[in-house]
Amino acid sequence: MTTQPDEQWQSWIGREELRHDYLELAAARRWLATFDRVAPADGSVPQGYHWCLCLPDAPTAALSVDGHPVRGGESSFMPPLPQSRRMWASSKIEFLSPLLIGQKVQRRSRINSIAEKQGATGKLVFVEIAQETRCEGELSVRETQAIVYRDPMPLGTAELPRPSDMIFDGSRWVAHRALVPSETLLFRFSALTFNSHRIHYDRAYTCEIEGYRGLVVHGPLTATLLLELAQQHFGDNALRCFDCRAVSAAICGEELHLALRANGNSVQFVAHARDGRPIMVASATL
């Protein structure tokens, strides 16, 4: 059930933030190195690279216990919601033109809505953010992103069930890749996106405070791995739209299965744990 946000959060709806950046060759090379791939021949960067641009740059002294910037105050873009646990929930992305090395970048972000829902573990608050990324003035990427805030886990409870002995069956999919996300991969992605959320690198905090059984793979990292699978199957910058939604958390060190299948210009993606537990679902248009 969805309810309207408390009146105290209404003033954050419509709040905007404008950031500028520059698409540097050295930074793009670090992204390519992270995913063991070569650069596109046309001087563009892979789809998903926009997550490395126009990043928040809060000082270390302005970070909260979980590693995210402190919320609230006149200068804060995000509202000071009382729920302490933050997770990326979904993204709807339009790739309108490839991002090119050497371009000046501008991103305008706007809070579209704040909505409360009642989940199995308590109250959930979803903040929907609309983002437009322009390169040299041209609209290149349009994204609507949802961030979810949750109450703390009760002490002694686990966020995820223990893995079972089942194995994901990739035979019904056109392309299938299995990999084990490592601490190194998570570290590099955190560095690329300037993400200091402790669930991606601090195991003690992740297990004892957040209730996970291991470090959590970033939602946008799982989405990027799906985009990489699309690149291997369809070529560079082949997607027009990409909608992805997190279902549950992928855990570092546990096998992750990525798969896709196409029907005409429509593509379906899944990311599953080894035992078949769904991690992410996505769809795309070529």
Side-chain angles (χ1 to χ4, degrees):
M1 181 178 66
T2 302
T3 60
Q4 293 300 313
D6 295 339
E7 289 186 5
Q8 61 182 318
W9 313 131
Q10 290 283 354
S11 62
W12 261 266
I13 297 175
R15 184 166 294 211
E16 293 190 347
E17 181 181 64
L18 184 64
R19 291 187 172 273
H20 297 83
D21 209 334
Y22 179 75
L23 215 164
E24 297 180 330
L25 176 60
R29 283 176 171 169
R30 289 190 285 271
W31 173 275
L32 295 167
T34 297
F35 295 102
D36 296 309
R37 59 165 300 183
V38 298
D42 61 359
S44 65
V45 294
Q47 290 181 328
Y49 185 78
H50 71 285
W51 282 318
C52 293
L53 299 170
C54 301
L55 303 173
D57 51 6
T60 300
L63 299 180
S64 60
V65 173
D66 68 352
H68 279 299
V70 173
R71 303 187 300 271
E74 288 299 319
S75 62
S76 174
F77 177 62
M78 297 297 282
L81 299 167
Q83 289 75 19
S84 62
R85 304 173 69 213
R86 168 179 164 149
M87 292 290 291
W88 173 91
S90 67
S91 282
K92 296 182 177 181
I93 308 169
E94 294 178 76
F95 297 111
L96 302 174
S97 62
L99 307 181
L100 303 176
I101 300 295
Q103 289 182 322
K104 294 180 181 178
V105 182
Q106 173 186 288
R107 175 172 297 146
R108 185 176 299 276
S109 302
R110 181 183 187 275
I111 295 182
N112 274 352
S113 65
I114 303 174
E116 296 179 356
K117 297 182 180 181
Q118 188 64 36
T121 59
K123 182 185 293 186
L124 308 174
V125 180
F126 288 83
V127 180
E128 183 180 276
I129 304 168
Q131 297 181 333
E132 290 189 343
T133 301
R134 295 180 180 271
C135 295
E136 303 295 342
E138 179 183 359
L139 184 58
S140 298
V141 181
R142 182 186 288 121
E143 177 178 6
T144 301
Q145 189 176 100
I147 305 296
V148 61
Y149 292 89
R150 300 186 291 174
D151 291 325
M153 289 290 291
L155 291 177
T157 60
E159 174 68 24
L160 298 173
R162 301 303 302 176
S164 74
D165 293 330
M166 296 177 62
I167 298 177
F168 174 74
D169 181 8
S171 62
R172 295 178 297 168
W173 299 84
V174 173
H176 171 224
R177 178 192 178 194
L179 75 156
V180 177
S182 65
E183 289 90 344
T184 304
L185 178 61
L186 269 62
F187 169 82
R188 282 190 155 194
F189 195 79
S190 289
L192 288 166
T193 57
F194 203 54
N195 185 342
S196 52
H197 195 183
R198 290 169 67 182
I199 64 171
H200 305 308
Y201 62 86
D202 186 337
R203 184 179 177 85
Y205 171 87
T206 305
C207 297
E208 297 169 12
I209 304 300
E210 297 269 2
Y212 295 98
R213 61 170 175 263
L215 297 178
V216 177
V217 179
H218 317 62
L221 173 53
T222 301
T224 298
L225 292 171
L226 291 175
L227 289 171
E228 287 293 301
L229 186 66
Q231 182 276 329
Q232 294 166 15
H233 194 72
F234 301 112
D236 293 317
N237 293 296
L239 303 186
R240 172 71 176 185
C241 301
F242 181 72
D243 296 352
C244 53
R245 178 174 59 87
V247 180
S248 63
I251 300 300
C252 178
E254 297 183 8
E255 194 170 55
L256 180 64
H257 289 258
L258 313 167
L260 69 77
R261 56 189 171 205
N263 182 10
N265 285 338
S266 298
V267 187
Q268 179 185 2
F269 300 83
V270 294
H272 278 248
R274 181 181 184 272
D275 62 4
R277 175 173 58 87
I279 300 295
M280 182 174 290
V281 294
S283 60
T285 303
L286 296 174

